[in-house]
Amino acid sequence: MIPYVLDLVGVAVFAVSGVLAARSRGLDLLGVIVIAAITAIGGGTLRDLLLNRYPIFWITDAQYLTVVIASALLTVGYVRVRPPPGNALLVADALGLALFALSGAQVAEAAQCPPLSVVLMGTMTGVAGGVLRDVITAQVPLILRRDIYATAAIVGVAIYLLLQAFGLQRARAFGVGVVVVVALRLLAIRWGLQLPIFR
């Protein structure tokens, strides 16, 4: 039950980040909701397609789309009353990245994927929705910038797997992984941390 709730929280957070990314692009309300939905369920959809999990998770469970629409509408209503903080998009995106990367890793684990594939699937679940969001709103995707982004997801999922291998309870390992991803993203934003550049 708790993983399901956290998955819905991740959907809500990424939907919010989709609305915040779309707000300056002159889209109508339907366009904003579409961007929110692509951001929120795009990564999980790609993961399910690659893992051959049918039907896709949001097709059989209407709660996901309900959460997307409700989160998008609430965010639109909020930003019309008062502007969000300057870094709201980056913080929302960091939390969504963490929740989706770890929940995606758990889905890959349930499909009995090897550890390297679990890391890949978790990372892809976390970053793909944001990539689609940025491409559709004509922005350079975060994953292609020099910021630590996908790397944070990789490290968080890897630590999640390592902690389980050393005997830590799965739920606690999940929590640690989420904290690691969020911390790495926020520290990278705060201190301008970047990966070395290949020249």
Side-chain angles (χ1 to χ4, degrees), residues 17-68:
S17 77
V19 173
L20 294 176
R23 63 191 284 259
S24 61
R25 298 299 172 180
L27 304 178
D28 61 16
L29 184 59
L30 177 60
V32 171
I33 292 175
V34 168
I35 296 298
I38 288 172
T39 307
I41 62 178
T45 300
L46 182 58
R47 173 204 65 212
D48 283 0
L49 289 172
L50 290 175
L51 291 178
N52 202 28
R53 295 178 76 233
Y54 295 103
I56 305 300
F57 68 100
W58 54 267
I59 293 178
T60 56
D61 189 346
Q63 288 277 52
Y64 286 97
L65 294 180
T66 301
V67 169
V68 168

Short mmCIF file of all heavy atoms in Angstrom, two decimals, residues 17-68:
data_model
loop_
_atom_site.label_atom_id
_atom_site.label_comp_id
_atom_site.label_asym_id
_atom_site.label_seq_id
_atom_site.Cartn_x
_atom_site.Cartn_y
_atom_site.Cartn_z
N SER A 17 5.35 19.83 -11.55
CA SER A 17 6.51 20.33 -12.28
C SER A 17 6.17 20.55 -13.76
O SER A 17 6.69 21.47 -14.39
CB SER A 17 7.70 19.37 -12.14
OG SER A 17 7.57 18.24 -12.97
N GLY A 18 5.29 19.71 -14.31
CA GLY A 18 4.86 19.89 -15.69
C GLY A 18 4.09 21.19 -15.87
O GLY A 18 4.30 21.93 -16.84
N VAL A 19 3.19 21.49 -14.92
CA VAL A 19 2.43 22.75 -14.97
C VAL A 19 3.38 23.95 -14.86
O VAL A 19 3.26 24.93 -15.61
CB VAL A 19 1.38 22.80 -13.86
CG1 VAL A 19 0.71 24.17 -13.80
CG2 VAL A 19 0.33 21.71 -14.07
N LEU A 20 4.32 23.89 -13.93
CA LEU A 20 5.25 25.00 -13.73
C LEU A 20 6.11 25.22 -14.97
O LEU A 20 6.46 26.37 -15.30
CB LEU A 20 6.12 24.75 -12.50
CG LEU A 20 5.40 24.71 -11.16
CD1 LEU A 20 6.36 24.36 -10.03
CD2 LEU A 20 4.71 26.04 -10.87
N ALA A 21 6.48 24.13 -15.64
CA ALA A 21 7.28 24.26 -16.86
C ALA A 21 6.46 24.83 -18.01
O ALA A 21 7.00 25.52 -18.89
CB ALA A 21 7.86 22.90 -17.25
N ALA A 22 5.16 24.56 -18.01
CA ALA A 22 4.31 24.98 -19.12
C ALA A 22 3.72 26.37 -18.94
O ALA A 22 3.21 26.95 -19.90
CB ALA A 22 3.16 23.98 -19.29
N ARG A 23 3.82 26.94 -17.73
CA ARG A 23 3.07 28.17 -17.43
C ARG A 23 3.52 29.38 -18.26
O ARG A 23 2.74 30.29 -18.51
CB ARG A 23 3.18 28.51 -15.94
CG ARG A 23 4.57 28.80 -15.45
CD ARG A 23 4.59 28.87 -13.92
NE ARG A 23 4.02 30.09 -13.40
CZ ARG A 23 4.75 31.12 -12.98
NH1 ARG A 23 6.07 31.06 -13.04
NH2 ARG A 23 4.17 32.19 -12.51
N SER A 24 4.75 29.40 -18.71
CA SER A 24 5.22 30.56 -19.48
C SER A 24 5.20 30.30 -20.98
O SER A 24 5.75 31.08 -21.76
CB SER A 24 6.65 30.91 -19.05
OG SER A 24 7.52 29.83 -19.31
N ARG A 25 4.55 29.20 -21.41
CA ARG A 25 4.58 28.82 -22.82
C ARG A 25 3.29 29.18 -23.56
O ARG A 25 3.13 28.81 -24.73
CB ARG A 25 4.86 27.31 -22.95
CG ARG A 25 6.20 26.89 -22.40
CD ARG A 25 7.32 27.58 -23.14
NE ARG A 25 8.62 27.35 -22.51
CZ ARG A 25 9.75 27.84 -22.96
NH1 ARG A 25 9.77 28.58 -24.04
NH2 ARG A 25 10.88 27.61 -22.32
N GLY A 26 2.36 29.88 -22.90
CA GLY A 26 1.16 30.33 -23.58
C GLY A 26 0.20 29.22 -23.96
O GLY A 26 -0.53 29.34 -24.96
N LEU A 27 0.17 28.13 -23.18
CA LEU A 27 -0.72 27.02 -23.48
C LEU A 27 -2.08 27.24 -22.84
O LEU A 27 -2.21 27.92 -21.82
CB LEU A 27 -0.12 25.71 -22.95
CG LEU A 27 1.28 25.35 -23.44
CD1 LEU A 27 1.75 24.06 -22.79
CD2 LEU A 27 1.30 25.21 -24.95
N ASP A 28 -3.13 26.65 -23.45
CA ASP A 28 -4.44 26.70 -22.81
C ASP A 28 -4.49 25.63 -21.72
O ASP A 28 -3.53 24.88 -21.50
CB ASP A 28 -5.56 26.51 -23.83
CG ASP A 28 -5.51 25.17 -24.56
OD1 ASP A 28 -4.81 24.25 -24.09
OD2 ASP A 28 -6.18 25.03 -25.60
N LEU A 29 -5.64 25.56 -21.02
CA LEU A 29 -5.74 24.65 -19.88
C LEU A 29 -5.55 23.20 -20.29
O LEU A 29 -4.87 22.44 -19.59
CB LEU A 29 -7.11 24.83 -19.20
CG LEU A 29 -7.33 24.01 -17.92
CD1 LEU A 29 -6.27 24.36 -16.87
CD2 LEU A 29 -8.73 24.26 -17.38
N LEU A 30 -6.10 22.81 -21.44
CA LEU A 30 -5.93 21.43 -21.90
C LEU A 30 -4.46 21.14 -22.18
O LEU A 30 -3.94 20.08 -21.83
CB LEU A 30 -6.77 21.17 -23.16
CG LEU A 30 -6.62 19.78 -23.78
CD1 LEU A 30 -7.03 18.70 -22.78
CD2 LEU A 30 -7.43 19.66 -25.07
N GLY A 31 -3.78 22.10 -22.81
CA GLY A 31 -2.36 21.91 -23.09
C GLY A 31 -1.54 21.75 -21.84
O GLY A 31 -0.63 20.91 -21.78
N VAL A 32 -1.87 22.52 -20.80
CA VAL A 32 -1.16 22.41 -19.53
C VAL A 32 -1.39 21.03 -18.91
O VAL A 32 -0.45 20.40 -18.40
CB VAL A 32 -1.62 23.52 -18.56
CG1 VAL A 32 -1.07 23.29 -17.16
CG2 VAL A 32 -1.19 24.88 -19.08
N ILE A 33 -2.62 20.54 -18.96
CA ILE A 33 -2.92 19.22 -18.39
C ILE A 33 -2.20 18.12 -19.17
O ILE A 33 -1.69 17.15 -18.59
CB ILE A 33 -4.45 18.97 -18.36
CG1 ILE A 33 -5.11 19.91 -17.36
CG2 ILE A 33 -4.75 17.51 -18.02
CD1 ILE A 33 -6.62 19.83 -17.33
N VAL A 34 -2.12 18.28 -20.49
CA VAL A 34 -1.40 17.30 -21.31
C VAL A 34 0.08 17.27 -20.93
O VAL A 34 0.68 16.19 -20.77
CB VAL A 34 -1.56 17.62 -22.82
CG1 VAL A 34 -0.58 16.79 -23.65
CG2 VAL A 34 -2.99 17.34 -23.26
N ILE A 35 0.70 18.45 -20.77
CA ILE A 35 2.10 18.50 -20.35
C ILE A 35 2.28 17.86 -18.98
O ILE A 35 3.23 17.11 -18.73
CB ILE A 35 2.61 19.95 -20.33
CG1 ILE A 35 2.59 20.56 -21.74
CG2 ILE A 35 4.02 20.03 -19.74
CD1 ILE A 35 3.50 19.85 -22.72
N ALA A 36 1.35 18.15 -18.06
CA ALA A 36 1.41 17.56 -16.72
C ALA A 36 1.33 16.05 -16.80
O ALA A 36 2.07 15.33 -16.10
CB ALA A 36 0.28 18.11 -15.85
N ALA A 37 0.44 15.53 -17.65
CA ALA A 37 0.27 14.08 -17.77
C ALA A 37 1.50 13.42 -18.39
O ALA A 37 1.97 12.38 -17.92
CB ALA A 37 -0.96 13.78 -18.62
N ILE A 38 2.05 14.04 -19.43
CA ILE A 38 3.25 13.49 -20.06
C ILE A 38 4.40 13.44 -19.07
O ILE A 38 5.15 12.46 -19.00
CB ILE A 38 3.63 14.32 -21.29
CG1 ILE A 38 2.62 14.08 -22.42
CG2 ILE A 38 5.04 14.00 -21.77
CD1 ILE A 38 2.79 15.00 -23.61
N THR A 39 4.54 14.50 -18.29
CA THR A 39 5.61 14.54 -17.29
C THR A 39 5.41 13.48 -16.22
O THR A 39 6.36 12.81 -15.80
CB THR A 39 5.65 15.93 -16.61
OG1 THR A 39 5.72 16.94 -17.61
CG2 THR A 39 6.86 16.05 -15.70
N ALA A 40 4.16 13.31 -15.79
CA ALA A 40 3.87 12.43 -14.66
C ALA A 40 3.89 10.96 -15.00
O ALA A 40 4.30 10.13 -14.19
CB ALA A 40 2.51 12.81 -14.06
N ILE A 41 3.44 10.58 -16.20
CA ILE A 41 3.32 9.16 -16.51
C ILE A 41 4.19 8.71 -17.68
O ILE A 41 4.22 7.52 -18.01
CB ILE A 41 1.85 8.77 -16.79
CG1 ILE A 41 1.31 9.51 -18.01
CG2 ILE A 41 0.99 9.03 -15.56
CD1 ILE A 41 -0.12 9.14 -18.38
N GLY A 42 4.93 9.65 -18.27
CA GLY A 42 5.75 9.29 -19.43
C GLY A 42 6.84 8.28 -19.11
O GLY A 42 7.03 7.30 -19.84
N GLY A 43 7.57 8.50 -18.00
CA GLY A 43 8.65 7.58 -17.64
C GLY A 43 8.14 6.20 -17.30
O GLY A 43 8.71 5.18 -17.74
N GLY A 44 7.07 6.13 -16.53
CA GLY A 44 6.50 4.83 -16.16
C GLY A 44 5.93 4.09 -17.35
O GLY A 44 6.01 2.85 -17.42
N THR A 45 5.38 4.84 -18.31
CA THR A 45 4.84 4.21 -19.52
C THR A 45 5.96 3.57 -20.32
O THR A 45 5.84 2.41 -20.77
CB THR A 45 4.11 5.26 -20.38
OG1 THR A 45 3.02 5.82 -19.62
CG2 THR A 45 3.56 4.63 -21.65
N LEU A 46 7.05 4.29 -20.52
CA LEU A 46 8.19 3.75 -21.25
C LEU A 46 8.76 2.53 -20.54
O LEU A 46 9.09 1.52 -21.16
CB LEU A 46 9.26 4.83 -21.42
CG LEU A 46 10.51 4.45 -22.22
CD1 LEU A 46 10.13 3.98 -23.62
CD2 LEU A 46 11.47 5.62 -22.29
N ARG A 47 8.85 2.60 -19.21
CA ARG A 47 9.34 1.46 -18.42
C ARG A 47 8.47 0.23 -18.64
O ARG A 47 8.98 -0.87 -18.88
CB ARG A 47 9.34 1.84 -16.95
CG ARG A 47 9.68 0.71 -15.99
CD ARG A 47 9.11 1.00 -14.61
NE ARG A 47 7.65 1.03 -14.63
CZ ARG A 47 6.91 1.80 -13.83
NH1 ARG A 47 7.47 2.62 -12.97
NH2 ARG A 47 5.58 1.74 -13.91
N ASP A 48 7.15 0.41 -18.56
CA ASP A 48 6.24 -0.73 -18.73
C ASP A 48 6.33 -1.32 -20.13
O ASP A 48 6.25 -2.54 -20.31
CB ASP A 48 4.80 -0.29 -18.43
CG ASP A 48 4.53 -0.16 -16.94
OD1 ASP A 48 5.46 -0.40 -16.15
OD2 ASP A 48 3.39 0.18 -16.57
N LEU A 49 6.49 -0.47 -21.13
CA LEU A 49 6.64 -0.96 -22.50
C LEU A 49 7.89 -1.82 -22.64
O LEU A 49 7.87 -2.90 -23.25
CB LEU A 49 6.67 0.20 -23.48
CG LEU A 49 5.36 0.97 -23.70
CD1 LEU A 49 5.59 2.22 -24.53
CD2 LEU A 49 4.32 0.07 -24.37
N LEU A 50 9.00 -1.36 -22.07
CA LEU A 50 10.25 -2.10 -22.19
C LEU A 50 10.23 -3.39 -21.37
O LEU A 50 10.86 -4.39 -21.75
CB LEU A 50 11.43 -1.22 -21.73
CG LEU A 50 11.77 -0.05 -22.66
CD1 LEU A 50 12.87 0.81 -22.05
CD2 LEU A 50 12.21 -0.56 -24.03
N LEU A 51 9.51 -3.39 -20.26
CA LEU A 51 9.41 -4.59 -19.43
C LEU A 51 8.26 -5.50 -19.86
O LEU A 51 8.01 -6.52 -19.22
CB LEU A 51 9.23 -4.20 -17.95
CG LEU A 51 10.43 -3.55 -17.27
CD1 LEU A 51 10.09 -3.16 -15.85
CD2 LEU A 51 11.64 -4.48 -17.29
N ASN A 52 7.57 -5.11 -20.93
CA ASN A 52 6.46 -5.90 -21.45
C ASN A 52 5.36 -6.09 -20.41
O ASN A 52 4.78 -7.17 -20.29
CB ASN A 52 6.96 -7.27 -21.95
CG ASN A 52 6.02 -7.90 -22.95
OD1 ASN A 52 5.31 -7.20 -23.68
ND2 ASN A 52 6.00 -9.22 -22.98
N ARG A 53 5.07 -5.03 -19.65
CA ARG A 53 4.02 -5.06 -18.63
C ARG A 53 2.75 -4.47 -19.23
O ARG A 53 2.65 -3.27 -19.44
CB ARG A 53 4.43 -4.26 -17.39
CG ARG A 53 5.62 -4.81 -16.65
CD ARG A 53 5.98 -3.92 -15.47
NE ARG A 53 5.06 -4.08 -14.35
CZ ARG A 53 4.41 -3.07 -13.74
NH1 ARG A 53 4.55 -1.85 -14.18
NH2 ARG A 53 3.63 -3.30 -12.72
N TYR A 54 1.81 -5.34 -19.51
CA TYR A 54 0.55 -4.89 -20.10
C TYR A 54 -0.62 -5.35 -19.24
O TYR A 54 -0.56 -6.43 -18.65
CB TYR A 54 0.40 -5.46 -21.52
CG TYR A 54 1.44 -4.95 -22.48
CD1 TYR A 54 2.51 -5.75 -22.86
CD2 TYR A 54 1.34 -3.66 -23.01
CE1 TYR A 54 3.48 -5.28 -23.73
CE2 TYR A 54 2.31 -3.20 -23.90
CZ TYR A 54 3.36 -4.00 -24.25
OH TYR A 54 4.32 -3.53 -25.12
N PRO A 55 -1.71 -4.54 -19.21
CA PRO A 55 -1.82 -3.19 -19.77
C PRO A 55 -0.97 -2.19 -18.98
O PRO A 55 -0.61 -2.44 -17.84
CB PRO A 55 -3.31 -2.86 -19.65
CG PRO A 55 -3.79 -3.73 -18.54
CD PRO A 55 -2.95 -4.97 -18.55
N ILE A 56 -0.67 -1.05 -19.61
CA ILE A 56 0.11 0.00 -18.97
C ILE A 56 -0.57 0.43 -17.68
O ILE A 56 -1.80 0.49 -17.60
CB ILE A 56 0.27 1.20 -19.92
CG1 ILE A 56 0.86 0.76 -21.27
CG2 ILE A 56 1.15 2.28 -19.29
CD1 ILE A 56 2.21 0.12 -21.19
N PHE A 57 0.21 0.74 -16.66
CA PHE A 57 -0.30 0.94 -15.31
C PHE A 57 -1.45 1.94 -15.22
O PHE A 57 -2.43 1.72 -14.50
CB PHE A 57 0.83 1.36 -14.36
CG PHE A 57 1.41 2.73 -14.62
CD1 PHE A 57 1.03 3.81 -13.84
CD2 PHE A 57 2.34 2.94 -15.62
CE1 PHE A 57 1.57 5.06 -14.06
CE2 PHE A 57 2.88 4.19 -15.85
CZ PHE A 57 2.49 5.26 -15.07
N TRP A 58 -1.40 3.04 -15.95
CA TRP A 58 -2.42 4.07 -15.79
C TRP A 58 -3.69 3.77 -16.59
O TRP A 58 -4.72 4.42 -16.39
CB TRP A 58 -1.88 5.44 -16.19
CG TRP A 58 -1.26 5.54 -17.55
CD1 TRP A 58 0.06 5.38 -17.86
CD2 TRP A 58 -1.93 5.83 -18.78
NE1 TRP A 58 0.25 5.55 -19.21
CE2 TRP A 58 -0.95 5.82 -19.80
CE3 TRP A 58 -3.26 6.08 -19.13
CZ2 TRP A 58 -1.26 6.06 -21.13
CZ3 TRP A 58 -3.58 6.33 -20.45
CH2 TRP A 58 -2.58 6.32 -21.44
N ILE A 59 -3.63 2.77 -17.46
CA ILE A 59 -4.82 2.39 -18.23
C ILE A 59 -5.81 1.62 -17.35
O ILE A 59 -7.02 1.79 -17.45
CB ILE A 59 -4.43 1.57 -19.48
CG1 ILE A 59 -3.65 2.47 -20.45
CG2 ILE A 59 -5.67 0.97 -20.15
CD1 ILE A 59 -3.17 1.76 -21.68
N THR A 60 -5.28 0.79 -16.48
CA THR A 60 -6.16 -0.03 -15.62
C THR A 60 -6.44 0.62 -14.27
O THR A 60 -7.31 0.16 -13.55
CB THR A 60 -5.51 -1.40 -15.38
OG1 THR A 60 -4.20 -1.22 -14.82
CG2 THR A 60 -5.40 -2.18 -16.67
N ASP A 61 -5.72 1.66 -13.93
CA ASP A 61 -5.92 2.33 -12.64
C ASP A 61 -6.15 3.82 -12.89
O ASP A 61 -5.22 4.59 -13.08
CB ASP A 61 -4.70 2.12 -11.74
CG ASP A 61 -4.94 2.59 -10.31
OD1 ASP A 61 -5.93 3.31 -10.08
OD2 ASP A 61 -4.14 2.24 -9.43
N ALA A 62 -7.42 4.22 -12.85
CA ALA A 62 -7.78 5.60 -13.16
C ALA A 62 -7.29 6.58 -12.10
O ALA A 62 -7.30 7.80 -12.33
CB ALA A 62 -9.29 5.72 -13.31
N GLN A 63 -6.84 6.08 -10.94
CA GLN A 63 -6.34 6.97 -9.89
C GLN A 63 -5.18 7.82 -10.39
O GLN A 63 -5.04 8.98 -10.00
CB GLN A 63 -5.88 6.15 -8.68
CG GLN A 63 -7.03 5.54 -7.89
CD GLN A 63 -7.63 6.53 -6.91
OE1 GLN A 63 -7.99 7.65 -7.29
NE2 GLN A 63 -7.74 6.15 -5.66
N TYR A 64 -4.34 7.25 -11.25
CA TYR A 64 -3.18 7.99 -11.74
C TYR A 64 -3.61 9.23 -12.53
O TYR A 64 -3.10 10.34 -12.30
CB TYR A 64 -2.30 7.08 -12.60
CG TYR A 64 -1.51 6.08 -11.80
CD1 TYR A 64 -1.97 4.78 -11.64
CD2 TYR A 64 -0.31 6.43 -11.19
CE1 TYR A 64 -1.26 3.85 -10.90
CE2 TYR A 64 0.42 5.51 -10.45
CZ TYR A 64 -0.06 4.22 -10.31
OH TYR A 64 0.65 3.32 -9.56
N LEU A 65 -4.53 9.04 -13.46
CA LEU A 65 -4.99 10.19 -14.25
C LEU A 65 -5.77 11.17 -13.39
O LEU A 65 -5.67 12.39 -13.61
CB LEU A 65 -5.85 9.69 -15.42
CG LEU A 65 -5.12 8.86 -16.48
CD1 LEU A 65 -6.07 8.44 -17.58
CD2 LEU A 65 -3.94 9.63 -17.06
N THR A 66 -6.52 10.66 -12.43
CA THR A 66 -7.25 11.55 -11.53
C THR A 66 -6.28 12.43 -10.75
O THR A 66 -6.49 13.65 -10.60
CB THR A 66 -8.11 10.73 -10.55
OG1 THR A 66 -9.03 9.93 -11.28
CG2 THR A 66 -8.88 11.64 -9.60
N VAL A 67 -5.21 11.83 -10.24
CA VAL A 67 -4.20 12.59 -9.50
C VAL A 67 -3.52 13.61 -10.39
O VAL A 67 -3.27 14.75 -9.98
CB VAL A 67 -3.17 11.62 -8.87
CG1 VAL A 67 -1.96 12.39 -8.33
CG2 VAL A 67 -3.81 10.81 -7.75
N VAL A 68 -3.21 13.23 -11.63
CA VAL A 68 -2.59 14.16 -12.58
C VAL A 68 -3.47 15.37 -12.80
O VAL A 68 -3.03 16.53 -12.69
CB VAL A 68 -2.29 13.46 -13.92
CG1 VAL A 68 -1.92 14.49 -14.99
CG2 VAL A 68 -1.17 12.45 -13.77
#
